[in-house]
Amino acid sequence: MDREAESAEQTQVHGLQEMTERPKWDNKVQYLLTCIGFAVGLGNVWRFPYLCQVYGGGAFLIPYVIALVFEGLPLLHMELAIGQRLRMGSVGVWNSISPYMGGLGVASMAVSFLVGLFYNMILAWILWYFFHSFQSPLPWRDCPLNLNHTGYVSECEKSSAVNYFWYRETLNVTPNIETSGSLQWWLVLCLATAWCLVYICFIRGIETIGKAIYITATFPYLVLTIFLVRALTLSGATDGLIYLFTPNWETLKNPEVWLDAATQIFFSLSLAFGGLIAFSSYNAQKNNCERDALIVGCVNSFTSIYASIPIFAILGFKANENYNACRNWNILRLTNAFNIADENITLENYGDWLNYLNTTDPSEVDNLNLKTCDLQTFLDQSASGTGLAFIVFTEAVINMPGSQVWAVLFFVMLFSLGLSSMFGNLEGVLTPLLDLHMVPSWMPKEIFTGLICLSSFTVALIFTLGSGNYWLEIFNSYVGSMPLLIIAFFEIISVVYIYGINRFNDDIEWMSGRRPNFYWQATWRFISPFMLLVVFVAYVVVEAEKQPTYNAWNPDYVRKILQFLYNITPYPKWVYAICVLLSVLPVVSIPIVAMYKFTGFLKKYIENRHSQNPYANDL
Amino acid sequence: MLEKILILLCLSSALAEQPCKPDASDGYKVRLSIKTALGDEAYVWNENEMFLFRATLAFAMRSHLNGQEFDVSNIIVCDETPRVTFWFVVTSPLNTSGLVDKGVVEEAIRMSRNRINSAFLLTDKTLEFIGITPTLTAPVNPDTPPWLIVFGVVMGAVGAGIIVVLVSPLVLKKRKKNEETDEDEEETGVKAVENGSTREGVYNMSFSDDERLTQM
């Protein structure tokens, strides 16, 4: 009862202050677009299609939809509801629910900050490619010449022009993570531009975000539609689409598929960042959050599926181009070796000619070392993440007529997808700080947001080093995964069992006018916490089994795997310690704050026992 | 006697054929891909085209070695195939049985490569001299890389935007202050004693409909 009175007092005090000051959305559309923009990010475009393809196409949709229904939507609804009800950022909300759970808010804030650091670096890379898309020919089409102009640079010849442009001219990557290299000035410039662009949209919190979101949230859909129309007219598009969607039901027996589907839904909806709580805290209290959650969740999944169609059509086109280039190379070899007239052997009659030549002169044909050209191998050359955007897709764009236009459109789309997600990350940092009144009253909001952007920019400079790409991979794998699962699990336990599911149901009924139905009850009480626990345990087990290694780009390494010069290197001990630290540090605040509050409570209890003053008013 | 003459004749005729043969030490193999280059507008390779080739090559030799009068007859061609490949050797005009050195021929061809290509409407890729790698064209390097220009435009726009957003509320405030001071100067009457800010005072929670918080 003590606890409840304290928390009641706190909410009253906050209520008094915020009744005069709290900003709010201009209209419902802004709020929905912002949440959708936060949820729909780069992962929808470059992670989901890859998972779909690797895990048996259409069959992957089954675990994906199951995860959405039993894990994604309940957590989403819960976050939007508590933010809207308690009208505070993540730290304030969890403090209100229980002072012992205050650490959850701090953990969310820490994760949001760390993810914002490396996410904007990816936006800086996208800007770099955007700046370079205004040239003819595109700079990643040709290898540069070596010093005496007799041939191409050897590193470029061993890999490919697109690889060289990404690894050498963009990243200037060092051979391993211990070699830090120096700050790459061009990346520093791009990072500064990215942070300035984020700052100008974020400068007054949701007032400016709400205006910017009309463009950044809707523009990607426009571009995806344009790409869809263009991609479907390319040759080889149907091969790519068939390859993507052909269901392979066997993969459903592999538990990793279910694990990946659950984690994909979880990270795709941007849960546990505190950003969704922050956004819904600016809502009017009487708002139907159930409908909002359903809209955001379904639009996010629809966008993933919608984006995978043009992506895979274009990948099919690229595989087709590579396949034809391979066969044309063979044809040229045959034509030159047997002195057959130019263009007598075509792609259509290549098979007949080959048979004929094999029967007449098999030894000569063997000597030629013709390549085996298989469309399937080219289709299998897929990638996810930065590999998809900066290597595979840029290669496809070279072969499309009017490449500059498509490159510009593609990178602007990626940038606006990432920008709207950055808003959520930064709001997850800003709103708790504002609610905790950590801002000195003389400092206007614009300066405070500027300080946040400046400090993030300074810390993110490590990603502009030569080894920056390796560090980004570390941040991505260790910060953006396990801590979120832990935070989400504690979130749902706190709301359901500490705040009380009945109280929560009453809140929602008061806000939206309807009591949550049986589906929500079942998922909140049992199914979602159980699923989260299973996913977390499975994730830890899978990660512990894998050796902590990374792909080091080593130009001296001779062995080629699918045209990438990767050298699978284990992390050195000190780097591995940093990885573990990154996973543990955000969530360590949960037990620390609980301990701190508990010792405070114990102290008071012991004092009361000793003093035993019958006239004391406080309990 | 007759046999000796016959043998001599055979030998001499063999020697006469010797200058141009496949894998000649001083010869080069040429490969043309006319259909690949020109598609529907491809011309047929015939004796006239071959004559043009020999004439162009003679021109190249003349340009390189100033003074020596190379003629079409100095370029000997052999081993033509349907692919349109053939070997050629170059004889010196001063000494018809002697061949011009391979290196000299290569330099001559390199110098006039463009002219030879354009005579046949072909490129370095479609008119190949096997053994002579084409000098790769140096890429155009503008003084300012184009990406810096785009970067400058974007940063300029963003910077201007930030300044506008930061400064505009200050400008509005100043304008309001000016209007207020104007109003104050106009007022001559007694200023009513204000009752203090309406925000002061304790909020009376008993009238709040927020029943949630009064659980005991």
Side-chain angles (χ1 to χ4, degrees):
Chain A
M1 192 171 116
D2 199 35
R3 260 191 298 123
E4 287 183 24
E6 266 183 33
S7 61
E9 262 183 50
Q10 270 183 338
T11 37
Q12 280 183 24
V13 167
H14 284 296
L16 168 64
Q17 277 158 338
E18 117 242 322
M19 259 173 234
T20 52
E21 282 178 21
R22 195 168 192 83
K24 58 184 172 64
W25 300 106
D26 288 344
N27 51 47
K28 187 75 182 293
V29 173
Q30 256 187 21
Y31 164 62
L32 277 179
L33 277 181
T34 315
C35 288
I36 290 174
F38 182 34
V40 171
L42 296 170
N44 295 67
V45 165
W46 71 31
R47 178 98 181 124
F48 176 80
Y50 168 74
L51 286 177
C52 230
Q53 177 213 336
V54 165
Y55 286 133
F60 180 70
L61 290 177
I62 293 182
Y64 184 72
V65 169
I66 291 179
L68 175 70
V69 164
F70 289 114
E71 188 193 341
L73 288 178
L75 280 168
L76 186 60
H77 187 195
M78 181 195 77
E79 285 208 2
L80 292 182
I82 45 171
Q84 191 174 296
R85 177 67 189 92
L86 297 171
R87 307 208 85 209
M88 271 184 284
S90 55
V91 176
V93 152
W94 299 114
N95 253 333
S96 304
I97 286 185
S98 160
Y100 294 107
M101 299 315 288
L104 265 184
V106 177
S108 280
M109 199 167 76
V111 169
S112 282
F113 178 72
L114 290 173
V115 170
L117 288 179
F118 75 80
Y119 208 79
N120 221 19
M121 188 66 214
I122 301 180
L123 291 188
W125 290 337
I126 294 173
L127 272 182
W128 165 264
Y129 270 81
F130 169 72
F131 292 152
H132 278 83
S133 303
F134 289 96
Q135 294 172 350
S136 174
L138 290 171
W140 52 82
R141 191 189 71 172
D142 302 313
C143 276
L145 301 177
N146 60 15
L147 286 170
N148 41 13
H149 287 206
T150 51
Y152 298 114
V153 173
S154 66
E155 185 183 348
C156 191
E157 273 191 309
K158 274 195 270 180
S159 56
S160 71
V162 250
N163 271 321
Y164 181 79
F165 186 75
W166 169 236
Y167 282 107
R168 189 53 52 210
E169 297 197 26
T170 309
L171 298 175
N172 200 9
V173 72
T174 53
N176 53 39
I177 195 169
E178 289 118 327
T179 337
S180 295
S182 57
L183 290 177
Q184 318 297 329
W185 63 269
W186 56 92
L187 286 182
V188 175
L189 283 183
C190 290
L191 186 65
T193 318
W195 274 110
C196 285
L197 278 165
V198 169
Y199 177 54
I200 194 178
C201 296
F202 177 59
I203 195 166
R204 284 205 205 104
I206 66 162
E207 292 170 33
T208 39
I209 288 179
K211 310 287 188 308
I213 203 73
Y214 285 119
I215 302 175
T216 58
T218 50
F219 187 69
Y221 291 97
L222 179 67
V223 174
L224 277 176
T225 314
I226 297 176
F227 265 106
L228 183 70
V229 171
R230 171 74 254 221
L232 290 178
T233 57
L234 290 171
S235 69
T238 38
D239 293 321
L241 287 178
I242 291 172
Y243 184 65
L244 169 68
F245 284 120
T246 313
N248 176 10
W249 307 104
E250 291 296 310
T251 56
L252 292 181
K253 296 185 192 161
N254 178 6
E256 275 216 36
V257 177
W258 297 87
L259 176 63
D260 268 335
T263 44
Q264 170 64 17
I265 261 293
F266 184 76
F267 300 134
S268 177
L269 285 171
S270 307
L271 299 165
F273 277 93
L276 288 169
I277 299 180
F279 286 145
S280 61
S281 72
Y282 296 114
N283 259 341
Q285 286 202 305
K286 299 270 194 180
N287 176 42
N288 189 352
C289 52
E290 176 184 357
R291 210 184 49 187
D292 296 341
L294 287 173
I295 292 178
V296 172
C298 293
V299 169
N300 179 54
S301 295
F302 160 74
T303 311
S304 291
I305 299 175
Y306 186 61
S308 53
I309 301 179
I311 297 279
F312 264 87
I314 292 179
L315 288 184
F317 162 73
K318 170 182 164 297
N320 210 355
E321 289 287 307
N322 287 349
Y323 177 58
N324 285 343
C326 176
R327 287 194 300 167
N328 277 327
W329 188 87
N330 280 354
I331 288 177
L332 200 61
R333 293 277 283 174
L334 284 177
T335 316
N336 288 347
F338 289 99
N339 287 323
I340 308 165
D342 191 20
E343 298 226 337
N344 264 4
I345 312 183
T346 61
L347 289 173
E348 287 85 25
N349 56 24
Y350 169 68
D352 303 328
W353 269 101
L354 189 60
N355 287 335
Y356 168 70
L357 290 171
N358 244 339
T359 41
T360 46
D361 200 349
S363 56
E364 182 70 33
V365 174
D366 280 337
N367 277 344
L368 289 177
N369 288 332
L370 296 177
K371 297 184 195 170
T372 38
C373 299
D374 182 19
L375 184 60
Q376 206 54 32
T377 1
F378 290 114
L379 283 171
D380 282 335
Q381 273 177 12
S382 62
S384 76
T386 50
L388 176 72
F390 300 128
I391 298 179
V392 171
F393 205 82
T394 44
E395 193 182 325
V397 154
I398 297 173
N399 293 324
M400 289 162 69
S403 355
Q404 282 77 12
V405 173
W406 302 112
V408 167
L409 275 180
F410 179 66
F411 290 119
V412 174
M413 173 188 82
L414 284 187
F415 188 75
S416 49
L417 279 173
L419 192 64
S420 47
S421 299
M422 272 304 288
F423 296 154
N425 282 328
L426 289 176
E427 272 295 326
V429 173
L430 177 71
T431 308
L433 289 177
L434 286 179
D435 290 332
L436 290 178
H437 304 286
M438 307 263 280
V439 189
S441 49
W442 51 267
M443 193 188 276
K445 204 189 218 178
E446 290 89 344
I447 308 278
F448 189 59
T449 49
L451 275 182
I452 296 180
C453 291
L454 190 63
S455 55
S456 302
F457 167 70
T458 322
V459 178
L461 283 176
I462 43 167
F463 300 122
T464 56
L465 292 171
S467 54
N469 189 32
Y470 303 133
W471 286 109
L472 198 136
E473 283 299 317
I474 288 180
F475 268 71
N476 193 14
S477 322
Y478 290 97
V479 172
S481 57
M482 206 147 35
L484 292 173
L485 288 171
I486 299 177
I487 294 174
F489 178 71
F490 279 107
E491 277 189 2
I492 198 163
I493 296 293
S494 303
V495 170
V496 171
Y497 295 111
I498 300 183
Y499 186 72
I501 186 75
N502 293 317
R503 201 169 152 197
F504 191 52
N505 285 332
D506 294 337
D507 284 342
I508 295 186
E509 195 179 4
W510 181 75
M511 287 195 294
S512 66
R514 264 198 342 235
R515 207 171 175 81
N517 57 27
F518 175 72
Y519 157 68
W520 299 112
Q521 303 299 328
T523 46
W524 280 332
R525 282 179 217 235
F526 312 114
I527 304 183
S528 295
F530 176 67
M531 264 189 87
L532 271 177
L533 195 61
V534 167
V535 166
F536 172 65
V537 169
Y539 194 84
V540 168
V541 165
V542 166
E543 288 297 309
E545 275 179 9
K546 282 198 301 201
Q547 284 292 333
T549 58
Y550 67 107
N551 290 333
W553 175 265
N554 195 341
D556 302 323
Y557 199 55
V558 176
R559 183 174 131 219
K560 287 165 78 161
I561 317 167
L562 278 189
Q563 90 185 141
F564 298 131
L565 302 182
Y566 285 148
N567 189 1
I568 299 185
T569 338
Y571 284 126
K573 289 268 167 27
W574 63 277
V575 172
Y576 191 57
I578 294 185
C579 298
V580 174
L581 203 66
L582 279 176
S583 282
V584 167
L585 211 59
V587 290
V588 85
S589 57
I590 302 178
I592 284 184
V593 170
M595 276 287 120
Y596 176 69
K597 290 283 161 79
F598 188 65
T599 47
F601 169 73
L602 273 183
K603 257 200 214 163
K604 245 191 172 177
Y605 183 70
I606 294 173
E607 274 177 25
N608 284 338
R609 286 289 296 269
H610 281 297
S611 61
Q612 294 274 345
N613 185 352
Y615 296 108
N617 269 343
D618 50 29
L619 272 161
Chain B
M1 185 60 189
L2 263 175
E3 296 135 10
K4 278 195 187 163
I5 298 173
L6 270 173
I7 291 170
L8 270 172
L9 273 174
C10 288
L11 270 175
S12 62
S13 59
L15 274 171
E17 288 172 29
Q18 237 182 20
C20 178
K21 59 180 192 334
D23 299 324
S25 55
D26 281 324
Y28 276 104
K29 183 170 180 182
V30 183
R31 185 187 294 140
L32 289 98
S33 313
I34 308 172
K35 253 198 179 169
T36 317
L38 300 170
D40 286 334
E41 295 164 24
Y43 48 81
V44 179
W45 185 261
N46 52 24
E47 283 297 317
N48 302 335
E49 305 284 347
M50 184 56 89
F51 181 79
L52 177 61
F53 179 82
R54 293 163 69 200
T56 329
L57 219 55
F59 159 77
M61 296 303 299
R62 278 203 198 195
S63 319
H64 182 56
L65 298 170
N66 263 324
Q68 298 196 36
E69 302 255 328
F70 283 89
D71 200 3
V72 180
S73 48
N74 289 117
I75 318 289
I76 309 176
V77 170
C78 56
D79 197 32
E80 232 183 290
T81 66
R83 171 73 178 86
V84 194
T85 65
F86 48 84
W87 283 84
F88 73 90
V89 289
V90 183
T91 58
S92 171
L94 311 165
N95 176 9
T96 38
S97 51
L99 297 177
V100 178
D101 193 37
K102 194 164 182 162
V104 180
V105 175
E106 175 172 342
E107 281 172 31
I109 292 177
R110 266 192 208 276
M111 266 183 53
S112 314
R113 189 64 190 263
N114 242 354
R115 297 295 297 273
I116 304 176
N117 283 351
S118 40
F120 290 95
L121 309 172
L122 297 173
T123 64
D124 278 349
K125 265 194 163 177
T126 39
L127 172 58
E128 297 165 80
F129 289 87
I130 314 289
I132 306 181
T133 50
T135 44
L136 304 161
T137 46
V140 179
N141 259 335
D143 288 331
T144 40
W147 77 269
L148 274 179
I149 300 176
V150 185
F151 162 75
V153 168
V154 171
M155 265 306 248
V158 171
I162 291 180
I163 293 177
V164 165
V165 170
L166 283 177
V167 164
S168 61
L170 295 173
V171 169
L172 281 175
K173 258 192 202 170
K174 255 193 176 172
R175 252 191 236 155
K176 255 192 179 173
K177 257 193 186 167
N178 284 340
E179 288 176 10
E180 278 180 20
T181 47
D182 285 342
E183 285 178 17
D184 282 345
E185 284 170 7
E186 286 176 19
E187 267 186 27
T188 49
V190 179
K191 244 191 175 178
V193 177
E194 284 192 15
N195 222 356
S197 165
T198 47
R199 292 181 189 176
E200 288 174 19
V202 180
Y203 189 75
N204 194 344
M205 286 307 284
S206 55
F207 295 114
S208 164
D209 57 354
D210 220 349
E211 285 170 19
R212 318 269 344 104
L213 305 168
T214 53
Q215 261 186 25
M216 290 307 283

